Amino acid sequence: MDSVKLAMTRSFDQQIRRTRRLTPQDQARFVTAVSQFNQDPANPGLNFEKLGGGPKSNLWSLRASLELRILVAADDGQFVLVNAGHHDAMYAWAERRDHYVDLASEELADLQVSVPDIPLSLKRDSTRKPHQPSLPDIPEQEPDTPPQSPQASESVPTGSLLIEDLIRRVIRGDFEEWQLFLHPDQKPLVGRHWSGAARIRGAAGTGKTVIGLHRLAELARRYPDDTVLFTSNSRSLAELLERRFRNLPMAPSNVEFANIDRIVYKYDSWTPAHFYLVDQTFEAACKELIAGSPLERISPDYLKEEIERVIKGNDLQSLDHYLSVERIGRKRSFSQNLRKLVWELFERWAGKLRERNAVTFADKRIRVRDAVQSLAQAPYRCVVVDEAQDVTLVELQLIRALVAGDPVNPVPKDGILILDDPAQRIYAGGYRLGWASLDITGRAQVLKKNYRNAPAVYRAAKRVRGSELVALDHEDDKYILDAELGFHEREEDRPNLVLVDGNGELPYLCERIREFTAADKYSANEIAVFLKHNIQVEATIGFLQREGIHCVQLTRDGLTGDGIRVGTYDRARGLEFRAVFLPRLGATQFPDSNGDADGEGRNPDPDQDLESRQLELDRLYVAMTRAREHLLLIADEEPCEEIRRALAEEIILKDLRGQPIADPAPSH
């Protein structure tokens, strides 16, 4: 059953639109359920079931939430909505009528349902051509796989106005509901049967994570006797998405959420060296080797990244391997002589760690990858990995081992789904899927439409970031930023850059947060403040809390409680908020100066500077694109050239220097 013919009684129409017994949230849930039923009557979350067993019974129940039901009368291929309310009341109503409604005696209405001030037409337009999905080249169903159960339509012939109205309603409705909203165009990807590993990539806001969560639920239902895993390299992201996943209707329980480091600890209890010991031994190795050598012109941070993300991240076992490896993502070219010196630095550092009986996190990941590859049975049936552009090759090999075990074993059907965006890379290095024995031929998809951001927000972020990519896996990667924009243009959505006097950034931030929350249009959990460094995060939280604004910090260890979300750009990945504030964007604070220029006698290397600066812009791009509706940049001086190039065209400049900022309210 790919589609249904829908109608409703006049009394149902009046009940949904005018009743005082239903909250706006309940009304919105009814509208969502009807829309989902219209698009896919076999949606398992709707729990569509027949009531009664008599010869005349024609009533069915449709699940709108845990407590809410819609009663539907079926007659000759037509489904008529006849009543809606709480579970017990609806079942009692149906029973009093012997589970039968005489539709001939009912006045039927066009299917026009509305929630407060937002009409949603669910009536099909037979004169309009079916809406064409924005997902090109969806591969055919694998021929040797059984049909999906429950059966769902792979093509949703949904009118474009229906889609637009549905999105508008969800946007203006409950924000948590929006974070789980699966666009009908993307539904085919959730139900695919793939013969092995698959990858979905796309620019910020194209819905990769939402698809991943719905796909996870589908896989858990498809393989109910096995465990499926959602992972990323961010603990805070994994925890937040787990809470979001549990809000899905009838979310399966055979699902586990764990970031990669948590998985690593699960299979190897040896505690890695503390940061201070890692830094101490590396600095000692540098002092012994770098002085007077060509490495002196390269910043220690860059050299440390080279060892951890290229040598250890790819588990290079010999100098010959390092001399020949393609250093994906590294803009600074290394001659053979430089590579030999870096390898010597790597070996000296490793020797000093051995003397202290210590391993780094990168070493520990290698050990766990080897341990999981040797297990008699792979621990998971399927894995969905988000933000995969920032995992290392070793981490990707570990993910493969979690479903396939030994590297010689093939990846099982539906085994791995990789979600990534090369434009949101925030860590150095890179890999090719083939290096991890992953073949996605015929199972790769690029999402081309942004459904999250107001158009002005996305264009501003793209303009500031530029088109340069740190790492290219495929030639098509360069087009990843050219996403189509899914919403109408509104002048009030244009981001602002506000210039204030010195020391005025945090008072102005405080003023704007109060303005947003006082109108009850934004809850605290729908607002985020992102900064570049942890020290800035801590200072900002301290200021806001002294002014009586409750905050919750996004950290490596996740978050707890309600309040304005405050964290670094790195912690912003995978998240979304209605409003995002970005202070500390003066040119002397963002981006950092070239890492080679931090010591006397070091001359900046233009390729290294390009790589470092681009990674900084990637981080800012990530933070900017977390905003769905409102984006505000704040600085107490002129910004960097990348932000300046977006002024006037994409970002509105408001210069408040010399003007007083409203005094914060008295501290609580």
Side-chain angles (χ1 to χ4, degrees):
M1 183 166 52
D2 291 341
S3 62
V4 293
K5 183 179 179 182
L6 287 175
M8 66 179 173
T9 63
R10 289 286 184 187
S11 59
F12 181 89
D13 178 36
Q14 294 172 358
Q15 178 183 15
I16 292 296
R17 291 193 293 118
R18 300 185 179 92
T19 183
R20 296 182 179 180
R21 294 186 293 109
L22 298 176
T23 67
Q25 290 79 12
D26 286 349
Q27 290 173 307
R29 290 185 180 102
F30 284 135
V31 172
T32 298
V34 171
S35 173
Q36 290 174 343
F37 182 69
N38 185 55
Q39 297 157 28
D40 177 16
N43 186 324
L46 298 174
N47 197 28
F48 188 51
E49 61 181 6
K50 182 77 175 292
L51 300 181
K56 292 183 60 178
S57 59
N58 67 348
L59 281 180
W60 294 63
S61 171
L62 196 65
R63 181 185 187 274
S65 74
L66 187 63
E67 296 294 333
L68 301 176
R69 295 295 183 272
I70 299 172
L71 296 184
V72 183
D75 179 41
D76 193 26
Q78 183 182 46
F79 291 87
V80 180
L81 310 182
V82 296
N83 206 348
H86 287 269
H87 176 282
D88 293 346
M90 290 299 98
Y91 277 63
W93 187 90
E95 189 171 353
R96 288 195 301 271
R97 288 159 178 78
D98 294 325
H99 306 103
Y100 174 76
V101 171
D102 182 8
L103 295 179
S105 64
E106 294 283 349
E107 183 180 2
L108 302 188
D110 289 341
L111 193 47
Q112 179 75 30
V113 185
S114 63
V115 292
D117 301 323
I118 310 162
L120 172 63
S121 175
L122 296 176
K123 183 179 181 181
R124 292 189 184 277
D125 184 349
S126 59
T127 63
R128 185 184 295 114
K129 293 182 180 179
H131 176 66
Q132 298 299 317
S134 64
L135 304 175
D137 303 324
I138 295 175
E140 294 297 322
Q141 182 85 6
E142 297 291 341
D144 56 345
T145 55
Q148 179 183 346
S149 179
Q151 184 67 35
S153 169
E154 291 287 68
S155 177
V156 185
T158 310
S160 58
L161 291 181
L162 164 63
I163 298 292
E164 187 175 321
D165 286 344
L166 176 62
I167 293 175
R168 187 183 301 117
R169 183 196 61 75
V170 179
I171 285 177
R172 299 183 186 178
D174 183 78
F175 187 63
E176 290 188 5
E177 181 183 338
W178 161 255
Q179 292 174 317
L180 285 169
F181 174 65
L182 179 69
H183 195 283
D185 285 353
Q186 298 174 334
K187 182 177 175 289
L189 290 175
V190 172
R192 296 305 304 163
H193 285 267
W194 278 310
S195 60
R199 178 167 71 181
I200 298 174
R201 52 182 17 192
T206 51
K208 299 181 296 297
T209 298
V210 173
I211 291 173
L213 292 178
H214 285 270
R215 174 71 175 173
L216 196 71
E218 164 64 22
L219 293 174
R221 297 186 187 104
R222 189 176 294 176
Y223 305 105
D225 298 328
D226 299 303
T227 303
V228 298
L229 172 70
F230 184 98
T231 190
S232 74
N233 59 12
S234 167
R235 177 173 171 178
S236 57
L237 175 60
E239 290 184 353
L240 284 167
L241 293 182
E242 180 174 14
R243 289 199 284 271
R244 193 178 300 174
F245 177 83
R246 301 304 175 193
N247 288 329
L248 282 173
M250 302 174 66
S253 59
N254 57 323
V255 174
E256 183 178 326
F257 283 75
N259 66 307
I260 291 173
D261 280 347
R262 180 177 170 187
I263 295 169
V264 168
Y265 276 113
K266 180 177 180 179
Y267 292 99
D268 187 347
S269 60
W270 191 353
T271 302
H274 195 272
F275 292 120
Y276 86 86
L277 180 57
V278 172
D279 292 341
Q280 183 185 71
T281 51
F282 180 73
E283 289 171 5
C286 288
K287 287 180 180 178
E288 293 177 5
L289 184 66
I290 287 181
S293 80
L295 295 182
E296 194 170 28
R297 294 185 60 251
I298 305 173
S299 76
D301 287 344
Y302 194 88
L303 292 171
K304 189 177 180 184
E305 280 184 342
E306 181 75 11
I307 292 173
E308 293 197 315
R309 302 285 299 182
V310 178
I311 295 178
K312 293 186 179 183
N314 291 286
D315 190 22
L316 305 182
Q317 296 293 313
S318 67
L319 173 59
D320 287 342
H321 195 179
Y322 180 48
L323 291 175
S324 61
V325 75
E326 181 185 8
R327 297 167 59 251
I328 294 179
R330 305 248 81 182
K331 296 295 186 182
R332 193 193 200 287
S333 61
F334 273 13
S335 65
Q336 296 288 286
N337 184 48
L338 276 178
R339 293 197 192 198
K340 290 176 181 177
L341 289 172
V342 172
W343 188 265
E344 184 177 350
L345 178 62
F346 156 65
E347 291 186 321
R348 286 206 187 195
W349 185 22
K352 293 184 181 299
L353 288 168
R354 283 194 298 271
E355 291 172 2
R356 307 290 290 271
N357 194 31
V359 297
T360 65
F361 277 98
D363 298 321
K364 189 176 174 73
R365 294 182 186 111
I366 294 172
R367 291 156 52 107
V368 170
R369 177 207 61 186
D370 295 343
V372 175
Q373 286 177 343
S374 64
L375 292 175
Q377 183 175 354
Y380 299 98
R381 178 59 182 80
C382 310
V383 174
V384 176
V385 53
D386 200 7
E387 305 295 345
Q389 72 276 356
D390 277 318
V391 303
T392 63
L393 175 63
V394 166
E395 292 168 337
L396 192 60
Q397 291 168 334
L398 168 59
I399 290 166
R400 188 189 191 282
L402 291 171
V403 298
D406 192 289
V408 302
N409 296 335
V411 174
K413 294 177 182 179
D414 302 322
I416 299 175
L417 177 60
I418 300 165
L419 309 172
D420 72 357
D421 175 8
Q424 294 188 65
R425 181 182 300 277
I426 65 173
Y427 295 130
Y431 56 82
R432 297 198 187 282
L433 292 179
W435 296 355
S437 300
L438 290 173
D439 181 8
I440 58 170
T441 304
R443 299 182 298 275
Q445 191 71 58
V446 177
L447 306 179
K448 297 184 177 181
K449 198 162 191 176
N450 179 299
Y451 296 113
R452 176 202 295 147
N453 308 113
V457 170
Y458 182 75
R459 282 203 311 270
K462 178 182 173 183
R463 184 67 176 268
V464 170
R465 187 201 175 280
S467 58
E468 181 73 20
L469 293 178
V470 175
L472 283 171
D473 187 8
H474 294 283
E475 185 66 19
D476 289 346
D477 287 357
K478 65 180 65 175
Y479 304 111
I480 212 82
L481 287 159
D482 297 331
E484 302 172 22
L485 300 172
F487 302 141
H488 290 304
E489 190 76 37
R490 298 193 311 169
E491 179 64 23
E492 60 266 32
D493 290 334
R494 289 180 66 188
N496 286 189
L497 168 65
V498 177
L499 299 180
V500 297
D501 292 323
N503 299 319
E505 288 178 289
L506 295 185
Y508 183 75
L509 173 66
C510 181
E511 174 189 325
R512 294 310 305 274
I513 289 176
R514 283 205 175 92
E515 176 187 329
F516 272 59
T517 55
D520 290 331
K521 292 183 178 179
Y522 292 78
S523 72
N525 293 358
E526 297 171 350
I527 300 173
V529 179
F530 294 118
L531 303 107
K532 185 176 175 187
H533 297 297
N534 277 314
I535 191 170
Q536 295 173 331
V537 169
E538 292 165 2
T540 300
I541 289 176
F543 181 90
L544 294 177
Q545 288 181 336
R546 286 192 297 273
E547 299 303 328
I549 297 176
H550 186 60
C551 305
V552 176
Q553 184 172 357
L554 294 166
T555 71
R556 180 188 299 272
D557 298 325
L559 63 86
T560 56
D562 296 325
I564 305 296
R565 275 44 175 150
V566 186
T568 62
Y569 299 159
D570 290 12
R571 300 292 164 212
R573 289 181 306 159
L575 308 180
E576 56 187 322
F577 302 90
R578 293 183 63 196
V580 169
F581 301 127
L582 304 176
R584 306 300 190 193
L585 284 179
T588 60
Q589 298 192 70
F590 180 89
D592 274 350
S593 59
N594 186 342
D596 278 350
D598 59 359
E600 294 184 6
R602 289 190 180 137
N603 297 317
D605 179 276
D607 291 329
Q608 180 184 326
D609 184 57
L610 174 62
E611 178 184 336
S612 300
R613 194 175 185 93
Q614 187 57 59
L615 286 172
E616 292 301 308
L617 290 170
D618 282 359
R619 289 182 168 95
L620 180 59
Y621 169 78
V622 168
M624 293 176 72
T625 54
R626 299 312 95 189
R628 193 183 75 179
E629 303 161 28
H630 188 88
L631 175 63
L632 175 64
L633 288 64
I634 309 172
D636 60 5
E637 58 179 335
E638 294 292 329
C640 65
E641 60 180 288
E642 288 87 356
I643 294 177
R644 287 202 305 271
R645 70 188 176 198
L647 295 178
E649 294 189 32
E650 310 293 353
I651 298 176
I652 298 173
L653 175 63
K654 293 185 177 180
D655 193 341
L656 302 184
R657 288 174 293 187
Q659 301 181 31
I661 302 298
D663 292 332
S667 301
H668 293 358

